[in-house]
């Protein structure tokens, strides 16, 4: 899997994410049927493009980086399969937010 990310680099302001797996059990321990599981809107960033170019040609740095967890919109993105794993490509501006990393 790691070799796929060396080969695939998102362009411009695009972000490659992998959605987190949905919870299969409720907090009380009851198994949730697959049909009843909601769409997971939290994903981990796997690769980012270099950013967009400003009017004067400078590159605007991305606001997300590899390893961060982000909140995705309910719809959108492009599904991509790399080495039999499912990922999604989003524009950085479509990502709704990210969780602060605590150290």
């Amino acid at each position: 899997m790691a070799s796929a990310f060396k080969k695939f680099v998102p362009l411009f302001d695009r972000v490659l994410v992998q959605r987190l797996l949905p919870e299969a059990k409720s907090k009380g321990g009851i198994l949730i049927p697959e049909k009843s599981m909601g769409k997971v809107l939290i994903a981990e960033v796997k690769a980012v493009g270099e950013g967009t170019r400003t009017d004067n040609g400078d590159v605007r740095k991305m606001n997300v980086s590899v390893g961060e967890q982000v909140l995705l919109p309910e719809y959108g993105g492009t599904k991509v399969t790399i080495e039999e794993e499912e990922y999604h490509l989003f524009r950085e501006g479509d990502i709704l937010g990210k969780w602060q990393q605590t150290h």
Side-chain angles (χ1 to χ4, degrees), residues 4-59:
F5 298 119
K6 292 179 183 174
K7 296 176 188 174
F8 184 84
V9 178
L11 296 178
F12 306 112
D13 66 337
R14 288 182 178 81
V15 179
L16 182 72
V17 298
Q18 186 172 36
R19 291 182 190 268
L20 300 182
L21 297 174
E23 289 292 325
K25 281 186 180 180
S26 70
K27 290 182 181 181
I30 299 171
L31 292 176
I32 301 171
E34 208 172 304
K35 287 188 239 176
S36 299
M37 291 182 197
K39 191 174 190 179
V40 177
L41 301 179
I42 300 171
E44 183 178 339
V45 176
K46 296 295 185 175
V48 296
E50 69 174 25
T52 56
R53 296 231 176 242
T54 62
D55 291 338
N56 63 1
D58 294 333
V59 175

Side-chain angles (χ1 to χ4, degrees), residues 15 17 45 64 70-73 90-98:
V15 179
V17 298
V45 176
V64 295
V70 294
L71 179 63
L72 303 173
F90 284 88
R91 288 192 179 273
E92 181 188 32
D94 293 339
I95 294 174
L96 303 174
K98 67 179 183 177

Side-chain angles (χ1 to χ4, degrees), residues 70-81:
V70 294
L71 179 63
L72 303 173
E74 189 169 353
Y75 300 103
T78 301
K79 183 177 161 183
V80 179
T81 303

